[in-house]
Coordinates of all heavy atoms in Angstrom, one line a residue:
I157 N 1.3 -19.1 33.5 CA 1.3 -20.6 33.4 C 2.1 -21.0 32.2 O 1.8 -20.6 31.1 CB -0.2 -21.2 33.4 CG1 -0.9 -21.0 34.6 CG2 0.0 -22.7 33.2 CD1 -2.3 -21.3 34.6
F158 N 3.2 -21.7 32.4 CA 4.0 -22.1 31.2 C 3.7 -23.7 31.2 O 3.8 -24.4 32.2 CB 5.5 -22.1 31.5 CG 6.0 -20.6 31.5 CD1 6.1 -19.8 32.5 CD2 6.4 -20.0 30.3 CE1 6.6 -18.5 32.6 CE2 6.8 -18.8 30.2 CZ 7.0 -17.9 31.3
L159 N 3.4 -24.1 30.1 CA 3.3 -25.6 29.7 C 4.4 -26.0 28.9 O 4.6 -25.7 27.7 CB 1.9 -25.9 29.0 CG 0.7 -25.3 29.7 CD1 -0.5 -25.4 28.7 CD2 0.4 -26.2 31.0
Q160 N 5.4 -26.7 29.5 CA 6.7 -27.0 28.8 C 7.0 -28.4 29.0 O 6.7 -29.0 30.0 CB 7.9 -26.0 29.4 CG 7.6 -24.6 29.2 CD 7.5 -24.1 27.7 OE1 6.8 -23.1 27.5 NE2 8.1 -24.9 26.8
T161 N 7.8 -29.0 28.0 CA 8.4 -30.3 28.1 C 10.0 -30.1 28.2 O 10.5 -29.1 27.6 CB 8.1 -31.1 26.8 OG1 8.5 -30.4 25.7 CG2 6.6 -31.5 26.7
D162 N 10.6 -31.0 28.9 CA 12.0 -31.0 29.0 C 12.6 -31.5 27.7 O 11.9 -32.1 26.8 CB 12.5 -31.7 30.1 CG 12.2 -31.2 31.5 OD1 11.7 -30.1 31.5 OD2 12.2 -31.9 32.5
I163 N 13.9 -31.3 27.5 CA 14.6 -31.8 26.3 C 15.7 -32.8 26.8 O 16.4 -32.4 27.8 CB 15.3 -30.7 25.7 CG1 14.3 -29.5 25.2 CG2 16.2 -31.1 24.5 CD1 15.0 -28.3 24.7
M164 N 15.8 -33.9 26.1 CA 16.9 -34.8 26.2 C 17.6 -35.0 25.0 O 17.1 -35.2 24.0 CB 16.4 -36.2 26.7 CG 17.5 -37.2 26.7 SD 18.5 -37.2 28.2 CE 17.7 -38.1 29.3
T165 N 18.9 -34.5 25.0 CA 19.6 -34.5 23.7 C 21.2 -34.8 24.2 O 21.7 -34.2 25.0 CB 19.6 -33.2 23.0 OG1 20.3 -33.2 21.8 CG2 20.2 -32.0 23.8
G166 N 21.7 -35.7 23.5 CA 23.1 -36.1 23.5 C 23.4 -36.6 25.0 O 24.4 -36.2 25.6
G167 N 22.4 -37.1 25.7 CA 22.7 -37.5 27.2 C 22.5 -36.4 28.1 O 22.7 -36.7 29.3
Q168 N 22.1 -35.2 27.6 CA 22.0 -34.1 28.5 C 20.6 -33.8 28.7 O 19.8 -33.7 27.7 CB 22.7 -32.9 28.0 CG 22.5 -31.6 28.8 CD 23.1 -30.3 28.1 OE1 23.5 -30.4 26.9 NE2 23.3 -29.3 28.8
W169 N 20.1 -33.6 30.0 CA 18.7 -33.3 30.3 C 18.5 -31.8 30.5 O 19.3 -31.3 31.3 CB 18.3 -34.0 31.6 CG 16.8 -34.1 31.7 CD1 16.1 -32.9 32.1 CD2 15.9 -35.0 31.7 NE1 14.7 -33.4 32.3 CE2 14.7 -34.7 32.1 CE3 16.1 -36.5 31.4 CZ2 13.5 -35.4 32.1 CZ3 14.9 -37.3 31.4 CH2 13.7 -36.7 31.8
I170 N 17.7 -31.1 29.7 CA 17.4 -29.7 29.9 C 16.2 -29.5 30.6 O 15.1 -29.8 30.0 CB 17.4 -29.0 28.5 CG1 18.6 -29.4 27.6 CG2 17.2 -27.6 28.7 CD1 20.0 -28.9 28.2
D171 N 16.3 -29.0 31.8 CA 15.0 -28.7 32.7 C 14.4 -27.4 32.4 O 14.9 -26.5 32.9 CB 15.4 -29.0 34.1 CG 14.2 -28.9 35.0 OD1 13.2 -28.6 34.7 OD2 14.4 -29.3 36.2
K172 N 13.4 -27.3 31.6 CA 12.8 -26.0 31.3 C 12.2 -25.4 32.5 O 12.2 -24.1 32.7 CB 11.9 -26.1 30.1 CG 12.5 -26.4 28.7 CD 11.5 -26.4 27.7 CE 12.1 -27.1 26.4 NZ 10.9 -27.2 25.5
A173 N 11.6 -26.1 33.4 CA 11.0 -25.7 34.7 C 12.1 -24.8 35.4 O 11.8 -23.9 36.0 CB 10.3 -26.7 35.4
A174 N 13.3 -25.5 35.5 CA 14.4 -24.8 36.2 C 14.8 -23.6 35.5 O 15.0 -22.5 36.3 CB 15.6 -25.8 36.3
L175 N 14.8 -23.6 34.3 CA 15.1 -22.3 33.6 C 14.1 -21.2 33.8 O 14.4 -20.0 34.1 CB 15.2 -22.5 32.0 CG 16.4 -23.4 31.6 CD1 16.1 -23.8 30.1 CD2 17.6 -22.9 32.0
I176 N 12.7 -21.5 33.8 CA 11.7 -20.6 34.0 C 11.8 -20.2 35.5 O 11.7 -18.9 35.8 CB 10.4 -21.3 33.8 CG1 10.3 -21.5 32.2 CG2 9.2 -20.4 34.3 CD1 9.0 -22.3 31.8
C177 N 12.0 -21.0 36.5 CA 12.1 -20.7 37.8 C 13.3 -19.7 38.2 O 13.2 -18.7 38.9 CB 12.3 -21.9 38.8 SG 10.7 -22.8 39.0
K178 N 14.4 -19.9 37.4 CA 15.6 -19.0 37.5 C 15.1 -17.6 37.1 O 15.5 -16.6 37.7 CB 16.8 -19.5 36.7 CG 17.9 -18.7 36.7 CD 19.0 -19.3 35.7 CE 20.0 -18.3 35.4 NZ 20.8 -18.6 34.3
E179 N 14.5 -17.5 35.9 CA 14.1 -16.1 35.4 C 13.0 -15.5 36.2 O 12.9 -14.4 36.4 CB 13.6 -16.3 34.0 CG 14.7 -16.8 33.0 CD 16.0 -16.0 33.0 OE1 15.9 -14.8 33.3 OE2 17.1 -16.6 32.8
A180 N 12.1 -16.4 36.8 CA 11.1 -15.8 37.6 C 11.7 -15.2 38.9 O 11.2 -14.1 39.3 CB 10.0 -16.9 38.1
D181 N 12.6 -16.0 39.4 CA 13.4 -15.4 40.7 C 14.2 -14.0 40.3 O 14.0 -13.1 41.1 CB 14.4 -16.4 41.2 CG 15.1 -16.1 42.6 OD1 14.2 -15.7 43.4 OD2 16.2 -16.1 42.6
A182 N 14.7 -14.1 39.1 CA 15.5 -12.8 38.8 C 14.5 -11.7 38.5 O 14.9 -10.5 38.8 CB 16.3 -13.1 37.5
A183 N 13.3 -12.0 38.2 CA 12.3 -10.9 38.0 C 11.6 -10.6 39.1 O 10.6 -9.8 39.2 CB 11.4 -11.4 36.9
G184 N 11.8 -11.2 40.4 CA 11.2 -11.0 41.5 C 9.8 -11.5 41.6 O 8.9 -11.2 42.4
Q185 N 9.5 -12.7 40.7 CA 8.3 -13.3 40.8 C 8.4 -14.5 41.7 O 9.5 -15.0 42.1 CB 7.8 -13.8 39.3 CG 7.9 -12.7 38.3 CD 6.8 -11.7 38.6 OE1 5.8 -12.0 39.2 NE2 7.0 -10.4 38.2
I186 N 7.3 -15.0 42.0 CA 7.2 -16.2 43.0 C 6.6 -17.4 42.2 O 5.6 -17.2 41.4 CB 6.6 -16.0 44.4 CG1 5.2 -15.5 44.2 CG2 7.4 -15.0 45.1 CD1 4.4 -15.4 45.5
L187 N 7.0 -18.6 42.6 CA 6.3 -19.9 42.1 C 5.3 -20.3 43.0 O 5.4 -20.4 44.2 CB 7.4 -21.0 42.1 CG 6.9 -22.4 41.6 CD1 6.5 -22.3 40.2 CD2 8.0 -23.4 41.8
L188 N 4.0 -20.4 42.5 CA 2.8 -20.7 43.2 C 2.6 -22.3 43.2 O 1.9 -22.8 44.0 CB 1.6 -19.9 42.9 CG 1.8 -18.5 43.1 CD1 0.5 -17.7 42.5 CD2 1.9 -18.2 44.5
W189 N 2.9 -22.8 42.0 CA 2.4 -24.2 41.7 C 3.4 -24.7 40.6 O 3.9 -24.0 39.6 CB 1.1 -24.1 41.1 CG 0.5 -25.4 40.6 CD1 0.0 -26.4 41.5 CD2 0.1 -25.7 39.3 NE1 -0.5 -27.3 40.7 CE2 -0.5 -27.0 39.3 CE3 0.4 -25.0 38.0 CZ2 -0.9 -27.6 38.0 CZ3 0.0 -25.7 37.0 CH2 -0.6 -27.0 37.0
H190 N 3.8 -26.1 40.8 CA 4.7 -26.8 39.8 C 4.2 -28.2 39.7 O 4.0 -28.9 40.7 CB 6.1 -26.6 40.2 CG 7.1 -27.3 39.3 ND1 8.3 -27.8 39.7 CD2 7.0 -27.5 38.0 CE1 8.9 -28.4 38.6 NE2 8.1 -28.0 37.6
K191 N 3.8 -28.6 38.5 CA 3.4 -29.9 38.2 C 4.3 -30.6 37.2 O 4.6 -30.0 36.2 CB 2.0 -30.0 37.8 CG 1.4 -31.4 37.5 CD -0.1 -31.4 37.3 CE -0.6 -32.8 36.9 NZ -0.9 -33.6 38.1
I192 N 4.6 -31.7 37.5 CA 5.5 -32.6 36.5 C 4.7 -33.8 36.0 O 4.0 -34.5 36.8 CB 6.7 -33.1 37.2 CG1 7.6 -32.0 37.7 CG2 7.5 -34.0 36.2 CD1 8.8 -32.4 38.5
T193 N 4.7 -34.0 34.7 CA 4.1 -35.1 34.1 C 5.1 -35.8 33.3 O 6.1 -35.1 32.9 CB 2.9 -34.7 33.2 OG1 3.4 -33.9 32.2 CG2 1.8 -34.1 34.0
F194 N 5.0 -37.2 33.2 CA 6.0 -37.9 32.5 C 5.4 -38.4 31.1 O 4.4 -39.1 31.1 CB 6.5 -39.1 33.4 CG 7.5 -39.9 32.7 CD1 8.7 -39.4 32.5 CD2 7.1 -41.3 32.4 CE1 9.7 -40.3 32.0 CE2 8.1 -42.0 31.8 CZ 9.4 -41.5 31.6
D195 N 6.1 -38.1 30.1 CA 5.7 -38.6 28.7 C 7.0 -39.4 28.2 O 7.8 -38.8 27.7 CB 5.3 -37.5 27.7 CG 5.0 -37.9 26.4 OD1 5.0 -39.1 26.1 OD2 4.6 -37.1 25.6
P196 N 6.9 -40.7 28.3 CA 8.1 -41.5 27.9 C 8.4 -41.3 26.4 O 9.5 -41.4 26.1 CB 7.7 -42.9 28.3 CG 6.2 -42.9 28.4 CD 5.8 -41.4 28.8
D197 N 7.4 -41.0 25.6 CA 7.6 -40.8 24.2 C 8.5 -39.6 24.0 O 9.4 -39.5 23.0 CB 6.5 -40.8 23.4 CG 5.7 -42.2 23.5 OD1 6.4 -43.2 23.6 OD2 4.5 -42.2 23.4
A198 N 8.2 -38.5 24.7 CA 8.9 -37.3 24.6 C 10.5 -37.3 24.8 O 11.2 -36.6 24.3 CB 8.3 -36.1 25.3
V199 N 10.8 -38.2 25.8 CA 12.1 -38.4 26.2 C 12.8 -39.7 25.7 O 13.9 -40.1 26.1 CB 12.4 -38.2 27.7 CG1 12.0 -36.8 28.1 CG2 11.6 -39.3 28.4
E200 N 12.1 -40.4 24.8 CA 12.4 -41.6 24.2 C 13.0 -42.6 25.4 O 14.1 -43.2 25.2 CB 13.6 -41.3 23.2 CG 13.1 -40.5 22.1 CD 14.2 -40.2 21.2 OE1 15.4 -40.6 21.3 OE2 14.0 -39.5 20.2

Side-chain angles (χ1 to χ4, degrees):
I157 298 172
F158 289 93
L159 306 166
Q160 301 298 150
T161 56
D162 290 347
I163 300 171
M164 174 72 92
T165 181
Q168 180 183 9
W169 191 291
I170 308 296
D171 183 350
K172 291 184 196 171
L175 297 174
I176 292 168
C177 286
K178 176 184 166 198
E179 298 307 329
D181 187 53
Q185 305 296 330
I186 60 171
L187 177 68
L188 297 176
W189 175 74
H190 181 209
K191 179 169 176 94
I192 299 172
T193 60
F194 179 69
D195 179 358
D197 296 329
V199 292
E200 299 175 3

